[in-house]
Amino acid sequence: QVQLVESGGALVQPGGSLRLSCVASGFNFKNYVMRWYRQAPGKERELVAVISDVGATINLADSVKGRFTCSRDNAGNTVYLQMNNLKPEDTAVYYCNAWKNFYGSHLLNSWGQGTQVTVSS
């Protein structure tokens, strides 16, 4: 059974930092590109970060470049999103998913609960 469980979200003040975690199980994690998304109320889900299978290639959305970093621990089946200098516009529910390059789709057909990040003073 494929599972992805996000955690680490919290209420923080502008300029603060958080590290989100996504723990994977039920598939060969180290062979998959991983993606982080976020969705704010009333908006479409937005791709935030992409990290290749061994972490050699990382792509970040322009809105988070210089503030967010992505990493992974394949031995621990975990992908991280380090978020620094958080802004109110970063407020959203954050999700992770695995990308199947051959099929051009996500491994999980449905989205989990995600983890809520709220940036406010």
Side-chain angles (χ1 to χ4, degrees), residues 23-65:
V23 179
S25 61
F27 66 100
N28 199 350
F29 175 79
K30 67 180 183 299
N31 291 334
Y32 284 83
V33 171
M34 296 298 297
R35 292 180 165 193
W36 282 99
Y37 294 84
R38 65 185 182 187
Q39 187 168 25
K43 295 186 177 181
E44 295 294 321
R45 183 173 284 108
E46 174 190 19
L47 179 63
V48 175
V50 178
I51 185 167
S52 61
D53 54 356
V54 296
T57 302
I58 300 169
N59 291 299
L60 301 168
D62 288 341
S63 59
V64 304
K65 284 181 179 177

Side-chain angles (χ1 to χ4, degrees), residues 28-114:
N28 199 350
F29 175 79
K30 67 180 183 299
N31 291 334
Y32 284 83
V33 171
M34 296 298 297
R35 292 180 165 193
W36 282 99
Y37 294 84
R38 65 185 182 187
Q39 187 168 25
K43 295 186 177 181
E44 295 294 321
R45 183 173 284 108
E46 174 190 19
L47 179 63
V48 175
V50 178
I51 185 167
S52 61
D53 54 356
V54 296
T57 302
I58 300 169
N59 291 299
L60 301 168
D62 288 341
S63 59
V64 304
K65 284 181 179 177
R67 300 187 298 117
F68 290 12
T69 59
C70 188
S71 62
R72 64 192 295 163
D73 174 10
N74 284 342
N77 288 352
T78 303
V79 61
Y80 301 96
L81 186 67
Q82 178 67 48
M83 307 186 297
N84 300 320
N85 193 22
L86 284 160
K87 302 177 179 180
E89 52 263 43
D90 296 318
T91 296
V93 178
Y94 285 72
Y95 304 88
C96 66
N97 212 329
W99 183 253
K100 298 189 293 182
N101 284 333
F102 183 82
Y103 297 100
S105 63
H106 294 109
L107 181 62
L108 287 176
N109 293 325
S110 61
W111 299 88
Q113 294 298 308

